Amino acid sequence: MAQFHCRWRNVFVCVCTPCICLLLMLVFLTAMVCMSMNGAGAPGTNVQETPSHSVAPNDLRKKSFIPHAKTFWLAQDEGAFWNQLQLAIERYFNPILRPNDFRKRMENSNFNESLLMESFIELMDSDSMRKNFDKLSWQMQKFVSHMQKRDYPAIIQPDGVCGAGAKDEKEPPLLLLAIKTTEHNYKNRMAIRQTWGKEGWVSGHKNSSGGRESGGYVRRVFLLGREDPEEEDVSLSELLQMESEHYGDILQWDFTDTFFNLTLKDVLFWSWFSGSCNQTVFVFKGDDDVFVNTPNIITYLQDQLNKSQANDTIADFMVGDVIDSAIPHRVNNSKYFIPDSFYRGLYPTYAGGGGVVYSGLLAKRLHEISKSVHLFPIDDVYVGMCMIRLNTHPIHHPAFLTFDFPEKEKKELCSYHKILLVHKRTPKQMVRLWADLKRTQRPCWDVPLRNAVKK
Ligand SMILES: *[C@@H]1O[C@H](CO)[C@@H](O)[C@H](O)[C@H]1NC(C)=O
Ligand SMILES: *[C@@H]1O[C@H](CO)[C@@H](O)[C@H](O)[C@H]1NC(C)=O
Ligand SMILES: *[C@@H]1O[C@H](CO)[C@@H](O)[C@H](O)[C@H]1NC(C)=O
Ligand SMILES: *[C@@H]1O[C@H](CO)[C@@H](O)[C@H](O)[C@H]1NC(C)=O
Ligand SMILES: *[C@@H]1O[C@H](CO)[C@@H](O)[C@H](O)[C@H]1NC(C)=O
Ligand SMILES: *[C@@H]1O[C@H](CO)[C@@H](O)[C@H](O)[C@H]1NC(C)=O
């Protein structure tokens, strides 16, 4: 009787186990297919954590609003030039469709470049895309016809390894100031060198109850392209050469310094940084017409490092004036104008390019991931596009005033003590504001950083 029972149990096990296994496999396969059809798999992107973007209420009222998908991924619309180009790359790197050598492919940079080139040539061969190209403005056409090239050589480089710094640094630099400028803006560079961009040891902000003595070494580098060859001024480039010999803070590449070429300053900077700034903890990247409260930045960054979870979060760290779900400018008299034949969908979350701070570790990750993201003509949006592919996003801080103070706040005695950055200020104003900061140090000791509700 017992044997009989046992045999039946064996039959039961033999028949049902494969059935259950098959069923489970079916469920698994269905889930995989659904996920890959959604196109959710992206280089370095965790499927569950892909952030979705909601549309700000006031954006809905705008006439230029176009229907879009819930996530940046689904906005990879067919038809628009850039989206189409990038889609080929996303398909290639999709870790779900092609899981085996995903890591290897991601890390093989030469291959990524040829892949970018292939997808470009393929697209330019199609009739509809060529018609599309013909309709673009001449600036945009100029951008498109050079968007495959990013290996511009450096003409001038700092002699110190990672920009100008103190000779006797006793610890690795805490912060590298990387400032976008042009050959013409000599006055801005001079004002920055004398004020918020001084290299060497910078003490953090200290309040009346003592707080703690903190500080860090600061380095500085200016990022430039060349003036348009047709208007090139020989004396200007000679001056820049002299400036470099004197200050050692010039990093100039051999491309034309135009608005649509600004993205090159990001990718070339990341490349240079990865090779020359091994130990620098943080990077500030911003314009040469902003005023930065460097001591406040130092204190803010020290506080970040002192958080208990700092070691886990630092590789993702980026802070600035964060813009979410922005709509591309669709009016052709704006310098930000992007026609929808070029890019369709919302922009990803990004930090305004006037001034943003991120970790050195993140800079190196951006350098790697940018090799599989086609250049985009708006530089800060491009950084956002790379960030989303690293499955991370910048954090917003209201002390980054890339749209200046609200009118009332500007006149307060301590307003500049409450900020990390404000746009925009002339060289003369920078010098005066820097002196004011020192002069009002005592009465403004205890003001905390600005923490208002966003716009
Ligand atoms: C002074 O700074 C310390 C450390 O940053 C902070 O904890 C403290 O609250 C500050 N004191 C005042 C009066 O703002
Ligand atoms: C960017 O720089 C390159 C190299 O100088 C130049 O050929 C190209 O026209 C520039 N692109 C734009 C959009 O100005
Ligand atoms: C960076 O610095 C670390 C520690 O000093 C060293 O081990 C590593 O080889 C350096 N990397 C490069 C690329 O120089
Ligand atoms: C880090 O924070 C703790 C308190 O949270 C403080 O006692 C310590 O002095 C801080 N260390 C540094 C290096 O700022
Ligand atoms: C982070 O890691 C470093 C070395 O790996 C260690 O010295 C430091 O104490 C860690 N910091 C925190 C906040 O855990
Ligand atoms: C800008 O748009 C207007 C109206 O749509 C059009 O007439 C004009 O030709 C456009 N200009 C350029 C430079 O594309």
Side-chain angles (χ1 to χ4, degrees), residues 382-403:
Y382 180 75
V383 178
M385 288 169 164
C386 292
M387 288 289 279
I388 213 160
R389 282 161 178 83
L390 290 173
N391 193 31
T392 185
H393 58 85
I395 45 180
H396 179 71
H397 199 302
F400 282 85
L401 292 170
T402 52
F403 295 98

Side-chain angles (χ1 to χ4, degrees), residues 368-379:
E368 288 307 317
I369 200 78
S370 68
K371 293 170 187 171
S372 51
V373 186
H374 277 286
L375 293 182
F376 191 80
I378 314 278
D379 62 342

